[in-house]
Amino acid sequence: MSGLLALLDDVAAIAKVAAASVDDISVAAIKAGSKTAGVVIDDAAVTPKYVHGFAPARELPIIWRIARGSVINKLVFLMPAALLMAAFAPWMVWPLLILGGCYLAFEGAEKIVHVLMPHDEHSGGPDGSHDVKDPARLEEKKIKGAIKTDFILSAEIMVILLSNLGDLPNFWMQAGALAIAAVLITAAVYGSVALIVKMDDIGLWLSQNANLGATRSFGRGIVRFMPWLLKALTVVGTAAMLWVGGSIIVHSLAEMGMDTPEHIIHDLAVSVAGENAALEWSVTAAVDFVLGFVIGLILIPIATKIIAPIWHSVRGKDAAAQ
């Protein structure tokens, strides 16, 4: 009997350790996930455009397929690569984060420049008029394009997550936290996108079918409000890209030993805000935003005049070979 009690006591102790480990993994996943807010906001702001122009019945299936592709991107391709990098080349995390921050800065700055100095879109691509007559083909191209874009954003998300999981003691806890955070972020992004995309349909249904006048008015209000919400999301997403891009670059440089920019920004924020923590954070975020915008402006000609032509040339050769 005493042996059985000792065994039960050992089992209970193991269960407590396991529960604590699961709790540690969950907490780490949530904390790390919060660091990706800027990229997540932009992902949620960008994705609704991929269902624009399709019949309402196709919107949720398209979002589901993009979400499934996003999970595959994160768990099948990016998570093993991130864990291998953490195990064998952890020094690569910060240079990759700088590259990701530069990408975010470039994307955000390009969006602002496009608004201030609009230009004609390039012909062809998934939105080309030659595909409009074939909705099935257009849908496939839209989904593939969305999943490719998601891969870039997901890579940035996974590296940010990994950089914030250094406190976990072993490989399996890191893998568990990374997987949980990746799934939660994907569910949050594409769940929000699905809700945003269908809100105008919900509002239209309420305005036409609700029994109460107040409910019908509420439905009409939703329909009128949604275009403004989508515009606001675009603005917030762009601002978040520049803020997060600048912040990632500054912090990553500091982790690599080049901490002068971070100290300058911190000293500036403290001198302006004093003891006000919220104001200090706001000043820091504003400086990171401006820094991200300046870096993005510098990168626009490099990306469009040098990198893009090389990339298109390589793709053209690959297509000719095939």
Side-chain angles (χ1 to χ4, degrees):
M1 187 66 177
S2 60
L4 177 60
L5 291 175
L7 176 61
L8 292 175
D9 186 60
D10 290 341
V11 170
I14 293 171
K16 288 180 180 178
V17 172
S21 297
V22 171
D23 185 60
D24 289 342
I25 291 171
S26 301
V27 170
I30 292 170
K31 286 182 177 179
S34 67
K35 303 294 184 180
T36 67
V39 189
V40 168
I41 291 170
D42 181 69
D43 204 357
V46 167
T47 305
K49 74 176 184 180
Y50 290 103
V51 299
H52 179 71
F54 288 101
R58 294 304 308 155
E59 290 174 344
L60 290 182
I62 290 172
I63 292 170
W64 163 247
R65 290 183 62 187
I66 297 172
R68 185 178 61 188
S70 179
V71 171
I72 293 172
N73 281 343
K74 291 182 179 73
L75 298 186
V76 177
F77 300 113
L78 295 170
M79 190 175 81
L83 291 171
L84 286 172
M85 180 177 64
F88 299 105
W91 58 268
M92 289 181 60
V93 171
W94 304 112
L96 285 176
L97 278 174
I98 290 175
L99 286 177
C102 288
Y103 170 78
L104 291 175
F106 162 74
E107 284 285 310
E110 189 182 43
K111 288 180 181 181
I112 292 177
V113 169
H114 180 75
V115 172
L116 297 178
M117 294 183 290
H119 55 277
D120 293 334
E121 297 289 342
H122 297 292
S123 59
D127 295 321
S129 59
H130 59 280
D131 287 327
V132 175
K133 296 179 181 179
D134 187 353
R137 186 181 176 191
L138 178 60
E139 181 176 318
E140 286 299 318
K141 282 199 166 189
K142 286 275 192 177
I143 291 170
K144 288 180 181 178
I147 292 173
K148 287 179 182 177
T149 300
D150 175 89
F151 186 89
I152 297 172
L153 294 173
S154 291
E156 182 69 5
I157 287 170
M158 296 301 279
V159 176
I160 294 172
L161 289 172
L162 186 65
S163 69
N164 286 276
L165 294 176
D167 293 338
L168 293 179
N170 60 58
F171 173 88
W172 295 111
M173 292 185 73
Q174 283 189 344
L178 208 55
I180 290 172
V183 171
L184 288 177
I185 287 171
T186 304
V189 168
Y190 291 99
S192 300
V193 169
L195 181 61
I196 290 168
V197 166
K198 300 308 291 183
M199 278 302 294
D200 54 349
D201 294 334
I202 294 171
L204 183 62
W205 186 90
L206 288 173
S207 67
Q208 295 175 344
N209 299 284
N211 293 325
L212 299 176
T215 308
R216 290 193 295 272
S217 297
F218 179 67
R220 290 191 292 271
I222 291 175
V223 173
R224 288 193 293 267
F225 174 70
M226 287 312 297
W228 293 98
L229 175 61
L230 292 174
K231 290 180 181 179
L233 277 176
T234 301
V235 172
V236 171
T238 301
M241 289 181 87
L242 293 171
W243 157 52
V244 173
S247 176
I248 287 173
I249 292 169
V250 170
H251 181 66
S252 299
L253 286 173
E255 291 291 337
M256 294 172 66
M258 294 170 277
D259 55 0
T260 301
E262 189 173 60
H263 285 312
I264 292 174
I265 294 172
H266 177 263
D267 292 343
L268 174 63
V270 170
S271 66
V272 172
E275 299 295 325
N276 190 324
L279 182 57
E280 179 184 339
W281 181 90
S282 299
V283 173
T284 302
V287 175
D288 288 337
F289 171 87
V290 173
L291 182 62
F293 182 57
V294 171
I295 292 172
L297 287 178
I298 295 171
L299 290 173
I300 286 176
I302 297 173
T304 56
K305 303 298 183 182
I306 300 175
I307 298 175
I310 294 174
W311 174 249
H312 289 309
S313 175
V314 171
R315 288 188 65 186
K317 290 179 181 179
D318 290 343
Q322 292 175 0

XYZ file of all heavy atoms in Angstrom, residues 29 93 106 120 124 151 166-167 214 229 263 267:
89
model
N 4.391 31.758 -25.083
C 3.790 31.931 -26.411
C 2.999 33.227 -26.491
O 3.084 33.968 -27.479
C 2.895 30.737 -26.735
N 19.777 35.199 -35.865
C 18.463 35.747 -35.529
C 18.428 37.252 -35.738
O 17.520 37.791 -36.381
C 18.078 35.392 -34.073
C 16.817 36.154 -33.655
C 17.839 33.887 -33.949
N 10.390 49.251 -45.856
C 10.222 49.457 -47.299
C 8.745 49.393 -47.693
O 8.237 50.262 -48.413
C 11.022 48.406 -48.070
C 10.607 48.253 -49.501
C 10.940 49.215 -50.444
C 9.856 47.156 -49.901
C 10.538 49.082 -51.763
C 9.449 47.017 -51.217
C 9.798 47.980 -52.156
N 0.578 54.390 -62.184
C -0.160 53.269 -62.762
C 0.382 51.957 -62.236
O 1.587 51.772 -62.079
C -0.045 53.265 -64.302
C -0.754 54.477 -64.899
O -1.678 54.989 -64.244
O -0.359 54.908 -66.015
N -0.832 43.000 -65.846
C -0.686 41.572 -65.594
C -0.887 41.249 -64.143
O -1.442 42.006 -63.384
N 3.831 34.196 -46.483
C 5.092 33.524 -46.155
C 6.123 34.533 -45.665
O 6.840 34.286 -44.685
C 5.622 32.778 -47.380
C 6.836 31.933 -47.089
C 6.689 30.621 -46.670
C 8.119 32.453 -47.220
C 7.809 29.837 -46.384
C 9.228 31.682 -46.935
C 9.073 30.372 -46.528
N 13.892 33.071 -25.673
C 15.196 32.645 -25.176
C 15.176 32.158 -23.730
O 16.084 31.443 -23.312
N 14.153 32.520 -22.954
C 14.104 32.116 -21.540
C 13.667 30.666 -21.352
O 13.844 30.116 -20.257
C 13.144 33.033 -20.768
C 13.659 34.469 -20.688
O 14.888 34.644 -20.834
O 12.843 35.390 -20.505
N -34.722 49.789 -34.823
C -33.395 50.127 -34.314
C -32.345 49.148 -34.838
O -31.218 49.547 -35.170
C -33.403 50.111 -32.784
N -13.769 51.607 -41.834
C -12.952 50.692 -41.033
C -11.803 50.124 -41.860
O -10.667 50.046 -41.384
C -13.819 49.561 -40.479
C -13.065 48.461 -39.705
C -12.371 49.047 -38.485
C -14.011 47.342 -39.307
N 20.248 53.908 -27.371
C 20.494 54.807 -26.233
C 20.068 56.239 -26.560
O 19.494 56.936 -25.713
C 21.974 54.777 -25.843
C 22.376 53.539 -25.111
N 21.666 53.031 -24.047
C 23.425 52.691 -25.297
C 22.255 51.932 -23.594
N 23.319 51.698 -24.334
N 17.247 58.148 -24.455
C 17.556 59.414 -23.767
C 16.625 60.533 -24.243
O 16.164 61.364 -23.442
C 19.010 59.806 -24.017
C 19.992 58.854 -23.345
O 19.564 58.114 -22.440
O 21.173 58.839 -23.756
